[in-house]
Amino acid sequence: MSEGLSPLDRPNSYIGRAVPRPNLARLLQGRGLYVSDMTLPRMVHVAFVRSPYAHARIAGIDAGAARTAPGVVAVVTGAELAEVCTPWVGVLTHMKGLKSAPQHAIAVDRACWVGEAVAAVVATTRAEAEDAAALVEVSYEELPVVADMEAALAPDAPAIHPDLGDNLAFERKLDAGDVEAAFASADAVAQAEFVFGRHTGVTLEARAMLADWNPGEQRLTVYQGTQAPHMMQNIIAKHLGLEETQVRVVCKDVGGSFGVKVHVYADEMATAALARMLRRPVKYVADRVESFLTDIHARDHRCKGRIAVNRQGDILAFEIDDLTAIGPYSMYPRTSAIEANQVVNLVGGPYKTPNYRARARVAFTNRNVMCQYRAVGHPIACSVTEGLVDLAAREIGMDPVEIRRRNLLPDDSYPAQSASGMKFEALSHHAALDKLVAMMNYPALRAEQTDLRAKGIYRGVGLASFIEVTNPSAAFYGVGGARISSQDGASVRLDAQGAVVCHASVTEQGQGTEAILAQVVASAVGATLDKVRIILGDTDHTPYGGGTWASRAAGIGGEAAWRAGVALRENILKVAGVMLQADPSALDITEGQVIDATGQARVGLDEIARVVYFRPDTLPADFQAELIATRHYAPKAYPFAFTNGVQASWLEVDIKTGFIRLLGHWVVEDCGRILNPQLVDEQIRGGVVQGLGAALFEKCEYDARAQMLNANMADYLVPMASETPDIQIGHIETPTADSMLGAKGAGEAGTAGAAAAVVNAVNDALSPFGVRLAEIPLTPELVLKALGVVL
Amino acid sequence: MNQPIRLTVNGELVTAAVAPRQHLADFLRETLGLTGTHIGCEHGVCGACSVRLDGAVVRGCLVYAVQADGARVDTIEGVSDSGEIADLQAAFATRNALQCGYCTPGMLLAAQELLLVNAAPDRETIRDRLSGNYCRCTGYHAIVDAVEATARARAEAKR
C-alpha cells in the first residue's frame, strides 16, 4: 500500500464491510430497467423463423403470405441480411489449431442446428411478428445429422463443414513429468469415465436487444443486457461496416447472465443489422423456447481419468482424456475451445503431483452452440480430479480428508506452479481444509453416518478442493487477437455539491458491482457512501474496458476505481491546501470533511466544490484545480490471480427411490482481500446452487436427430428453494500483491466445486454397496441403476 | 376483435380494449407500462410474472387479460407504493436477498402471501412455499433468511 493508506486501517473505510447495494430499492419495487422493459418511438419487433431440422439445406423461402400479414414491416432472409452484416469465424490464434466455419447472422443456405434462424420477420407488435413468422414457408432438404460427440469423430463421419475436412475443431495434448514411470511404480491405480450433462444458463430474463439506428446521426444505439459493452461495440461496428464511434452500447439492468450474455449471438447481430436496414428501432426478446435452443449450452464432456497412488497416500500421477462437442460453430469472439483448454489447465491443480498427461478434443455436432458459462471448465476439472482422489483414497483405505492433507500444495510453498504450468502467487489449501473440517464438524458427521447406516439410512460426506481462475490478464483473450480488453478504467469526479460520481467500465448483472465500486471510491476519496454515485454500462460515457466476466469486476474494476479515488483525494487536498494555506500532505479526508493532522475538520467537500466551480477567482491565479481523476488497471504480474477453496456436501440417498436429499453444504474460499463479505458469500451461494443444478437436475436432452427434447422450464429442471440446502461459508484471506486492494475474484468458486462434492458424497453414502457413480446429473434413475434396482 | 375490460389495478380504475389472446402480464406491461411484472418463461413455471388477482397470487402469463375483467389486480408497483411490504423489502435489501432483481417482484408477492396466512413459518415451510418461484442468482438461502426475519419482526411488533 502506498502512503500508509491501507484500505483496512483508514478510519472511514468501507472496505471489508457488508454495506447495502445502492441499486436495490428500484429492483425491489419492480422499477429497474431491463431491455425487455424498454420502448422507443417507431419501435418494431423482430421474430425469427427457426430451423426445425438439425442439419438441412434451405432450398427456398416463400415469404409472400408473411409479407402481407397484418402489421408486418419486413421479412428478411439470410442472403438479404448478409448484405449489411458480414459473417464471422470464432477462432483465436493462441488456441493453436482451432478451426471453425463462417457463421452468418441468419443462415444463408444451410441450417446447422435446431433453432438456427433462417429468416426474420419484423412487425409492429411481437405477436404480429410471430403470427407472420408462422406464415413463412421454408423448403428444407435434410442433410446427414452429426448428433453425438463420439459419432462426430468417427472415421466415416460426414464433416459438418466440408471445407474443414473433419469435425475435430480443436485438440490439445500435454505431458508433464514422467507419467509412465509414475503409473508403473504405483501401489494402486484407479480410473473412471466422468460424464457431464449438457446444460445451460437459464437466465430468468431472456436475451434481449433493442437496436436504434438514427439516420440523422448515422449512429446505432444498442440497448443490450450484456457483460461486455465495449466488446459488443467493436463487434457490431466491425460486422455492420461502421466505425466504433458510430456504435453506442448501453447496458441497464440485466436479468441474470452467468456467462450466457458475454457472447455474440447471431439473432442479436441480426437485430442490430435490421435496425440499420429499416432505419428505425428494432427490438428482440427471446422467448423461453428460443433461450433453450440458442443461448449457449455448456459442459457436455466425457472425460476418462486415471490416478496413480502409493500405499502411503502420495498421489503419483493424473491422466485424463477429455472429449466435448460444441455444436456446429465455435462461438464468437471468445471461441468454444476455452472450456476444454481450461480442463487441461486445471486438472490436478490443487495438488503437488508433478506427473500429468492430458488430451482434450473438441468436436463439432449439429446441436446448439456451446461456450463459456460460469466457472468455465472448472466443474469438469474439479469433478474429475476430486473424483479420482476419492477413488484413490478408497483403493488404499485412506480417509478423504487425510489424502487431501497429504497431497494439497503446502501453504508455505508459494509461489508455485501446477503440473500444467499454472502459476500460483499464494494459495491456502490447508488452512481452508482445516477450517472446513471444523465448520462442518467432520468427525460428528462420520459418527452420525455410522449410526444411521445401522438403521438402513445412507448418508454421505463429499469433499472437493478447487482452484479458480480470476482477474485474467490479456493471456485469456487479448493475446489471441480478440479485441476484448483485459484493462478496465474508472473516472471519479467531485460534483458541485461535494458528492462523488464514478463512471466505470465494469458492469453490473446483480453481483453487486455498483456496491463494490461505491465502497472502494468512498473509502479512497474519504467520502460517505451515500454521497457516491456509480454509473456503468454505456460506451459513450464510461472509460474503456472489458466488463464483468471471469470473476474480474471487483479485482480489476475495483482496483481501477481505488486508484482513481486515491488520485481524486490528492487533487482535492491540493485545493484544500491552497484554501487552508496548509501542506496537503498534512491533510486527509474523512466522512466528507478535510481534516488536519489533529483530526480536526477544516472544510467540507461541498465547500471545496463550491469554491472550485463557482469562485475560482478566489484561488491563486497560477493554480488550476482538477476535481476529476481517471485511472486504469490491468493485471500484470500473473496471467491469472488464482484463488482456492474447498467444499463439502452432506446428503442422504434413498436406496429405494434413488432420490438424493441435500442436507448441508459448506464452502471455505480464499478470494484475497474481501471488499464486501456479504456480496462474496452470496456470490458463492448462488454459484454453489448452479453447481447443484448440474449435479442433480440440469441436462439438455437430445435425440438421435439432434432435436432438443426438453426445451422448456417444466422439463428442464433447475434447483428451486425446496431442493436447496442452507449453505455455510467460511473465508481465508490471502490478498494478491499485484494490486493495491489485493482483491481476487469470487464469482465462480461456488460453481467450480459443488457438483464434485455432491458426487463424492453420493459415492460415500453408497460405499457399502460398492457404488462408483461418475455421471451428472445424478438422477434417481442413475442411482437405482448403480444399485442394481433397475436395469 | 378486442374485448372491453374494466378492472382495478393498484387501486386505480382501468378501462381498456384487449385482444382475447393477450395475457395479463403482457397487458400490465405493454398497455399499462407496469414493467415490474416480469416475463420469465410464459408457461407458468418460473413465477416471475406473479401478480395478485382478487387477493390471490397468480401467474400473470396463465391468466388472460379478459379474465381479469371486474377484478382487483395488485402488482409489485402497487404493493410498494402502499407500503404493504416495506418491511419485507427492507429485509431483502439488508440480507442481499436479490441479485439481478428479475425474480424479486414475484418472490416478494409469494413471500407476502405466505406471511399473511402463516405468521411464523419455519425455513422448510418458507422453502416449500417459494418453490414455485425460480431464482438463478441467490441460491435461495438469503431469501429464506429475509422472509424468516420479516416474520419474526412482524410477530415482535404485534406483541
Side-chain angles (χ1 to χ4, degrees), chain A residues 518-543:
Chain A
Q519 288 176 270
V520 165
V521 166
S523 302
V525 174
T528 55
L529 202 58
D530 61 318
K531 298 284 189 199
V532 177
R533 180 163 168 72
I534 305 295
I535 296 169
L536 310 173
D538 188 336
T539 56
D540 264 9
H541 297 296
T542 67

mmCIF file of all heavy atoms in Angstrom, chain A residues 518-543:
data_model
loop_
_atom_site.group_PDB
_atom_site.id
_atom_site.type_symbol
_atom_site.label_atom_id
_atom_site.label_comp_id
_atom_site.label_asym_id
_atom_site.label_seq_id
_atom_site.Cartn_x
_atom_site.Cartn_y
_atom_site.Cartn_z
ATOM 1 N N ALA A 518 -18.756 1.611 -5.181
ATOM 2 C CA ALA A 518 -19.116 2.704 -4.267
ATOM 3 C C ALA A 518 -18.294 2.624 -2.984
ATOM 4 O O ALA A 518 -17.785 3.635 -2.492
ATOM 5 C CB ALA A 518 -20.610 2.648 -3.951
ATOM 6 N N GLN A 519 -18.138 1.405 -2.449
ATOM 7 C CA GLN A 519 -17.333 1.234 -1.238
ATOM 8 C C GLN A 519 -15.894 1.654 -1.462
ATOM 9 O O GLN A 519 -15.277 2.335 -0.639
ATOM 10 C CB GLN A 519 -17.318 -0.238 -0.819
ATOM 11 C CG GLN A 519 -18.592 -0.750 -0.243
ATOM 12 C CD GLN A 519 -18.486 -2.241 0.053
ATOM 13 O OE1 GLN A 519 -18.793 -3.041 -0.814
ATOM 14 N NE2 GLN A 519 -18.051 -2.605 1.243
ATOM 15 N N VAL A 520 -15.351 1.203 -2.594
ATOM 16 C CA VAL A 520 -13.947 1.468 -2.890
ATOM 17 C C VAL A 520 -13.720 2.968 -3.094
ATOM 18 O O VAL A 520 -12.788 3.558 -2.535
ATOM 19 C CB VAL A 520 -13.531 0.662 -4.144
ATOM 20 C CG1 VAL A 520 -12.217 1.172 -4.697
ATOM 21 C CG2 VAL A 520 -13.449 -0.824 -3.818
ATOM 22 N N VAL A 521 -14.610 3.585 -3.871
ATOM 23 C CA VAL A 521 -14.443 5.012 -4.161
ATOM 24 C C VAL A 521 -14.644 5.841 -2.898
ATOM 25 O O VAL A 521 -13.863 6.766 -2.614
ATOM 26 C CB VAL A 521 -15.430 5.438 -5.278
ATOM 27 C CG1 VAL A 521 -15.518 6.957 -5.369
ATOM 28 C CG2 VAL A 521 -15.004 4.838 -6.611
ATOM 29 N N ALA A 522 -15.680 5.523 -2.131
ATOM 30 C CA ALA A 522 -15.917 6.283 -0.885
ATOM 31 C C ALA A 522 -14.707 6.189 0.034
ATOM 32 O O ALA A 522 -14.271 7.184 0.610
ATOM 33 C CB ALA A 522 -17.164 5.747 -0.183
ATOM 34 N N SER A 523 -14.151 4.978 0.136
ATOM 35 C CA SER A 523 -13.005 4.784 1.034
ATOM 36 C C SER A 523 -11.771 5.507 0.507
ATOM 37 O O SER A 523 -11.023 6.107 1.274
ATOM 38 C CB SER A 523 -12.700 3.289 1.180
ATOM 39 O OG SER A 523 -13.833 2.614 1.666
ATOM 40 N N ALA A 524 -11.555 5.441 -0.804
ATOM 41 C CA ALA A 524 -10.350 6.049 -1.373
ATOM 42 C C ALA A 524 -10.404 7.567 -1.292
ATOM 43 O O ALA A 524 -9.408 8.218 -0.998
ATOM 44 C CB ALA A 524 -10.171 5.598 -2.821
ATOM 45 N N VAL A 525 -11.576 8.140 -1.555
ATOM 46 C CA VAL A 525 -11.697 9.596 -1.535
ATOM 47 C C VAL A 525 -11.810 10.109 -0.110
ATOM 48 O O VAL A 525 -11.291 11.177 0.223
ATOM 49 C CB VAL A 525 -12.930 10.037 -2.372
ATOM 50 C CG1 VAL A 525 -13.165 11.541 -2.243
ATOM 51 C CG2 VAL A 525 -12.744 9.661 -3.840
ATOM 52 N N GLY A 526 -12.525 9.352 0.725
ATOM 53 C CA GLY A 526 -12.829 9.825 2.073
ATOM 54 C C GLY A 526 -14.238 10.387 2.149
ATOM 55 O O GLY A 526 -14.581 11.150 3.051
ATOM 56 N N ALA A 527 -15.074 10.019 1.198
ATOM 57 C CA ALA A 527 -16.468 10.474 1.178
ATOM 58 C C ALA A 527 -17.338 9.484 1.941
ATOM 59 O O ALA A 527 -16.919 8.368 2.231
ATOM 60 C CB ALA A 527 -16.948 10.581 -0.265
ATOM 61 N N THR A 528 -18.561 9.901 2.253
ATOM 62 C CA THR A 528 -19.502 8.945 2.831
ATOM 63 C C THR A 528 -20.216 8.230 1.686
ATOM 64 O O THR A 528 -20.390 8.766 0.590
ATOM 65 C CB THR A 528 -20.526 9.633 3.743
ATOM 66 O OG1 THR A 528 -21.177 10.670 3.014
ATOM 67 C CG2 THR A 528 -19.839 10.206 4.968
ATOM 68 N N LEU A 529 -20.646 7.009 1.963
ATOM 69 C CA LEU A 529 -21.177 6.135 0.920
ATOM 70 C C LEU A 529 -22.419 6.729 0.241
ATOM 71 O O LEU A 529 -22.626 6.562 -0.958
ATOM 72 C CB LEU A 529 -21.513 4.775 1.544
ATOM 73 C CG LEU A 529 -21.593 3.586 0.601
ATOM 74 C CD1 LEU A 529 -20.305 3.372 -0.153
ATOM 75 C CD2 LEU A 529 -21.954 2.335 1.402
ATOM 76 N N ASP A 530 -23.233 7.424 1.024
ATOM 77 C CA ASP A 530 -24.466 7.976 0.446
ATOM 78 C C ASP A 530 -24.186 9.104 -0.539
ATOM 79 O O ASP A 530 -25.083 9.536 -1.256
ATOM 80 C CB ASP A 530 -25.393 8.468 1.567
ATOM 81 C CG ASP A 530 -24.753 9.579 2.391
ATOM 82 O OD1 ASP A 530 -23.546 9.465 2.700
ATOM 83 O OD2 ASP A 530 -25.442 10.563 2.704
ATOM 84 N N LYS A 531 -22.954 9.597 -0.570
ATOM 85 C CA LYS A 531 -22.608 10.686 -1.493
ATOM 86 C C LYS A 531 -21.917 10.167 -2.752
ATOM 87 O O LYS A 531 -21.370 10.945 -3.526
ATOM 88 C CB LYS A 531 -21.670 11.687 -0.806
ATOM 89 C CG LYS A 531 -22.268 12.374 0.397
ATOM 90 C CD LYS A 531 -23.253 13.451 -0.005
ATOM 91 C CE LYS A 531 -23.673 14.282 1.208
ATOM 92 N NZ LYS A 531 -24.928 15.020 0.935
ATOM 93 N N VAL A 532 -21.884 8.849 -2.937
ATOM 94 C CA VAL A 532 -21.194 8.285 -4.100
ATOM 95 C C VAL A 532 -22.226 7.726 -5.070
ATOM 96 O O VAL A 532 -23.133 6.985 -4.677
ATOM 97 C CB VAL A 532 -20.214 7.174 -3.684
ATOM 98 C CG1 VAL A 532 -19.551 6.550 -4.912
ATOM 99 C CG2 VAL A 532 -19.161 7.729 -2.739
ATOM 100 N N ARG A 533 -22.093 8.098 -6.323
ATOM 101 C CA ARG A 533 -22.989 7.574 -7.345
ATOM 102 C C ARG A 533 -22.158 6.857 -8.406
ATOM 103 O O ARG A 533 -21.135 7.373 -8.867
ATOM 104 C CB ARG A 533 -23.783 8.717 -7.968
ATOM 105 C CG ARG A 533 -24.734 8.264 -9.041
ATOM 106 C CD ARG A 533 -25.788 9.319 -9.366
ATOM 107 N NE ARG A 533 -26.499 8.955 -10.583
ATOM 108 C CZ ARG A 533 -27.373 7.955 -10.659
ATOM 109 N NH1 ARG A 533 -27.657 7.233 -9.593
ATOM 110 N NH2 ARG A 533 -27.961 7.667 -11.796
ATOM 111 N N ILE A 534 -22.593 5.653 -8.791
ATOM 112 C CA ILE A 534 -21.839 4.834 -9.741
ATOM 113 C C ILE A 534 -22.609 4.767 -11.058
ATOM 114 O O ILE A 534 -23.814 4.503 -11.063
ATOM 115 C CB ILE A 534 -21.642 3.403 -9.192
ATOM 116 C CG1 ILE A 534 -20.982 3.429 -7.804
ATOM 117 C CG2 ILE A 534 -20.832 2.556 -10.175
ATOM 118 C CD1 ILE A 534 -19.583 3.962 -7.772
ATOM 119 N N ILE A 535 -21.912 4.994 -12.148
ATOM 120 C CA ILE A 535 -22.541 4.939 -13.474
ATOM 121 C C ILE A 535 -21.763 3.948 -14.341
ATOM 122 O O ILE A 535 -20.548 4.067 -14.512
ATOM 123 C CB ILE A 535 -22.567 6.337 -14.122
ATOM 124 C CG1 ILE A 535 -23.450 7.266 -13.274
ATOM 125 C CG2 ILE A 535 -23.089 6.253 -15.560
ATOM 126 C CD1 ILE A 535 -23.355 8.717 -13.639
ATOM 127 N N LEU A 536 -22.495 2.956 -14.837
ATOM 128 C CA LEU A 536 -21.865 1.861 -15.587
ATOM 129 C C LEU A 536 -22.609 1.650 -16.912
ATOM 130 O O LEU A 536 -23.709 2.163 -17.111
ATOM 131 C CB LEU A 536 -21.930 0.551 -14.785
ATOM 132 C CG LEU A 536 -21.466 0.568 -13.331
ATOM 133 C CD1 LEU A 536 -21.762 -0.766 -12.661
ATOM 134 C CD2 LEU A 536 -19.985 0.881 -13.260
ATOM 135 N N GLY A 537 -22.017 0.855 -17.769
ATOM 136 C CA GLY A 537 -22.768 0.298 -18.881
ATOM 137 C C GLY A 537 -23.142 1.273 -19.975
ATOM 138 O O GLY A 537 -24.292 1.257 -20.433
ATOM 139 N N ASP A 538 -22.222 2.090 -20.440
ATOM 140 C CA ASP A 538 -22.540 2.992 -21.546
ATOM 141 C C ASP A 538 -21.241 3.347 -22.259
ATOM 142 O O ASP A 538 -20.408 4.080 -21.719
ATOM 143 C CB ASP A 538 -23.227 4.255 -21.015
ATOM 144 C CG ASP A 538 -23.757 5.151 -22.133
ATOM 145 O OD1 ASP A 538 -23.231 5.080 -23.261
ATOM 146 O OD2 ASP A 538 -24.696 5.917 -21.855
ATOM 147 N N THR A 539 -21.079 2.841 -23.465
ATOM 148 C CA THR A 539 -19.793 3.054 -24.147
ATOM 149 C C THR A 539 -19.574 4.512 -24.530
ATOM 150 O O THR A 539 -18.445 4.891 -24.834
ATOM 151 C CB THR A 539 -19.697 2.192 -25.428
ATOM 152 O OG1 THR A 539 -20.815 2.491 -26.276
ATOM 153 C CG2 THR A 539 -19.684 0.713 -25.091
ATOM 154 N N ASP A 540 -20.620 5.333 -24.524
ATOM 155 C CA ASP A 540 -20.422 6.761 -24.783
ATOM 156 C C ASP A 540 -19.811 7.482 -23.586
ATOM 157 O O ASP A 540 -19.261 8.565 -23.743
ATOM 158 C CB ASP A 540 -21.761 7.439 -25.113
ATOM 159 C CG ASP A 540 -21.991 7.556 -26.617
ATOM 160 O OD1 ASP A 540 -21.205 6.972 -27.386
ATOM 161 O OD2 ASP A 540 -22.973 8.229 -27.009
ATOM 162 N N HIS A 541 -19.950 6.917 -22.405
ATOM 163 C CA HIS A 541 -19.615 7.699 -21.210
ATOM 164 C C HIS A 541 -18.571 7.080 -20.291
ATOM 165 O O HIS A 541 -17.877 7.800 -19.588
ATOM 166 C CB HIS A 541 -20.891 7.956 -20.395
ATOM 167 C CG HIS A 541 -21.890 8.775 -21.145
ATOM 168 N ND1 HIS A 541 -21.658 10.066 -21.517
ATOM 169 C CD2 HIS A 541 -23.112 8.470 -21.630
ATOM 170 C CE1 HIS A 541 -22.698 10.540 -22.188
ATOM 171 N NE2 HIS A 541 -23.594 9.582 -22.275
ATOM 172 N N THR A 542 -18.496 5.763 -20.240
ATOM 173 C CA THR A 542 -17.563 5.167 -19.281
ATOM 174 C C THR A 542 -16.179 5.039 -19.912
ATOM 175 O O THR A 542 -16.043 5.062 -21.132
ATOM 176 C CB THR A 542 -18.030 3.756 -18.854
ATOM 177 O OG1 THR A 542 -17.936 2.887 -19.987
ATOM 178 C CG2 THR A 542 -19.448 3.775 -18.340
ATOM 179 N N PRO A 543 -15.150 4.898 -19.094
ATOM 180 C CA PRO A 543 -13.839 4.557 -19.637
ATOM 181 C C PRO A 543 -13.927 3.222 -20.397
ATOM 182 O O PRO A 543 -14.883 2.464 -20.248
ATOM 183 C CB PRO A 543 -12.953 4.418 -18.402
ATOM 184 C CG PRO A 543 -13.640 5.210 -17.346
ATOM 185 C CD PRO A 543 -15.105 5.069 -17.636
#
